[in-house]
Amino acid sequence: MIKKITILLLGLVLLIPINGLAGSESKVSIDMHYIVVSPAEDGSTNMMNMVNYTNTSSEEYKGDGSDEAVLKVTLPKGAKDLNFLDHKIAFKQVEEGFITTTPVQANQTQVLPYSYRMEKSKEISLTVDYQVQMMQILVPEGMGSIETKGVQATSQGRFKFDDQNYFGYSIEGLKAGQSFSLVYNKDVQPAADETKQAQTTSDSSKNSAVTHTAPAFHNPGHLRMWAQSPLHRFNPHVFLIILGAIIIAGISYFAYFKRKARLEEERLDADKEEKAFKLLMAKQKAIMDKIIELEETFGDGMLSEGEYHAKLDAYKQHLVQVKLNLRHFIE
């Protein structure tokens, strides 16, 4: 179950464009924060997180400079069994949560996957450390439902992933430092009409409902294929752009080198023909010279008439063959 949830979160995060929040004061903002809430075997609550941190600046982000921390993550009071799922990113557990010490590259996104457990039926107080464009909370079907206090959560209804149905809840526009509470009840399932109903509760009032149109999730089959592929660490939107550029460049280079090879072949053919033509012209001149030399030798009486005519006929036949070959170039 945990493996399926991890693959689900990877797929969802990797299908979010890397555009960040240009208007954010901080150099780092959170494009998407996914949380899958489910019951553990001992009755506690599993909190699987996948967070998309984007450095919107053109320089490497190494934190605010006050300490070694690059990214700071505040965990709810009472969180235990922290499990950081990406060993390529260095992290340290601190009193209020954990920090990372691996810089975020310029105009890049760093995905932090981590999980922890909370006590059963305990109200979970969450605090966001950076501006969050959207948070999506997912609960496996049949494993309960959630309520929020202090923020407005829009129900996105049910969707299917890898033979498992989930109910999704969406929270938008969280500000850095903002806190809200999450109540998870594994024994209370979402209402039948919750596909269009928003679950909201403020600090001073009980739950109220607002109707919204839920934003569509990506096709689960596509998520599964991408998450299980060797390329799952790449942002697929950027990957498609790069792939398109590579294909176009490949076609251009293929056409260029194909044309270059054809021109080279034509040049070589032309060189061959020129060499052959020059060779035939040289042979023709050599035969004519031999005929002139033969006539001079015969005139000096150094050859008999029979020898003269025999050699002359041979030279003439050779000359005729050369002229026939030259005709291919002239005509």
Side-chain angles (χ1 to χ4, degrees):
M1 179 65 185
I2 292 178
K3 182 179 179 182
K4 289 183 178 180
I5 290 174
T6 303
I7 293 174
L8 165 69
L9 290 176
L10 278 170
L12 289 172
V13 168
L14 289 169
L15 287 168
I16 299 299
I18 305 175
N19 47 23
L21 295 175
S24 174
E25 293 180 0
S26 173
K27 293 181 179 180
V28 169
S29 60
I30 297 175
D31 293 336
M32 292 297 302
H33 184 159
Y34 287 99
I35 305 176
V36 175
V37 184
S38 61
E41 293 181 359
D42 62 357
S44 61
T45 302
N46 280 325
M47 302 284 287
M48 296 282 296
N49 292 258
M50 196 73 69
V51 192
N52 210 10
Y53 292 86
T54 297
N55 178 7
T56 57
S57 72
S58 58
E59 298 179 354
E60 185 180 62
Y61 182 74
K62 297 181 179 180
D64 57 15
S66 60
D67 50 32
E68 63 176 334
V70 175
L71 299 175
K72 299 178 181 180
V73 180
T74 301
L75 296 181
K77 187 176 181 180
K80 57 183 179 179
D81 296 337
L82 172 65
N83 184 18
F84 200 74
L85 305 177
D86 191 337
H87 301 295
K88 294 182 179 180
I89 301 175
F91 80 102
K92 291 182 180 180
Q93 195 162 357
V94 296
E95 184 177 353
E96 296 183 351
F98 68 89
I99 63 172
T100 68
T101 55
T102 301
V104 184
Q105 299 302 311
N107 298 313
Q108 295 293 319
T109 291
Q110 193 173 87
V111 179
L112 295 189
Y114 60 93
S115 65
Y116 55 88
R117 292 190 300 120
M118 299 296 298
E119 292 182 15
K120 178 183 178 182
S121 302
K122 183 177 180 179
E123 186 172 299
I124 303 169
S125 179
L126 299 173
T127 300
V128 295
D129 300 280
Y130 304 89
Q131 185 171 350
V132 180
Q133 184 176 4
M134 180 175 289
M135 177 181 289
Q136 291 188 345
I137 305 172
L138 312 175
V139 181
E141 185 180 33
M143 296 187 183
S145 60
I146 65 163
E147 295 178 0
T148 57
K149 296 180 179 181
V151 293
Q152 177 176 291
T154 303
S155 173
Q156 293 187 331
R158 184 176 65 180
F159 70 99
K160 191 173 184 179
F161 179 82
D162 201 13
D163 299 325
Q164 172 69 58
N165 289 326
Y166 294 85
F167 275 91
Y169 305 84
S170 176
I171 303 171
E172 299 182 14
L174 293 171
K175 298 179 180 180
Q178 184 173 349
S179 299
F180 66 95
S181 296
L182 182 70
V183 179
Y184 171 62
N185 192 330
K186 70 180 184 64
D187 299 317
V188 177
Q189 307 307 318
D193 62 346
E194 197 170 329
T195 56
K196 296 182 179 179
Q197 194 77 8
Q199 303 281 327
T200 60
T201 303
S202 65
D203 291 331
S204 59
S205 63
K206 297 295 183 180
N207 289 353
S208 61
V210 180
T211 301
H212 290 277
T213 301
F217 281 89
H218 288 277
N219 185 291
H222 295 169
L223 300 180
R224 181 170 59 253
M225 287 193 305
W226 181 264
Q228 294 175 348
S229 74
L231 301 171
H232 68 274
R233 286 190 174 275
F234 292 90
N235 184 291
H237 298 281
V238 176
F239 175 77
L240 288 176
I241 294 173
I242 295 174
L243 181 61
I246 291 174
I247 291 174
I248 293 172
I251 293 173
S252 300
Y253 275 109
F254 175 79
Y256 169 77
F257 285 110
K258 186 75 174 176
R259 183 174 179 273
K260 184 178 180 181
R262 180 171 55 79
L263 293 175
E264 182 67 17
E265 185 178 353
E266 290 177 357
R267 186 185 67 78
L268 290 175
D269 289 340
D271 288 345
K272 288 179 181 179
E273 290 182 355
E274 184 178 3
K275 288 180 181 179
F277 178 79
K278 289 181 177 180
L279 180 60
L280 288 173
M281 292 296 293
K283 285 184 177 181
Q284 178 178 257
K285 183 178 182 302
I287 294 171
M288 296 297 294
D289 289 341
K290 286 291 185 181
I291 291 175
I292 294 173
E293 183 182 347
L294 178 64
E295 290 177 349
E296 290 177 351
T297 303
F298 177 71
D300 292 339
M302 298 176 63
L303 288 175
S304 64
E305 187 174 349
E307 291 176 337
Y308 166 76
H309 287 292
K311 288 186 177 183
L312 181 60
D313 290 339
Y315 286 144
K316 285 182 178 180
Q317 289 178 7
H318 197 184
L319 184 60
V320 168
Q321 187 61 46
V322 170
K323 287 184 177 292
L324 288 175
N325 290 337
L326 281 171
R327 187 176 297 176
H328 293 295
F329 296 96
I330 299 173
E331 297 179 353

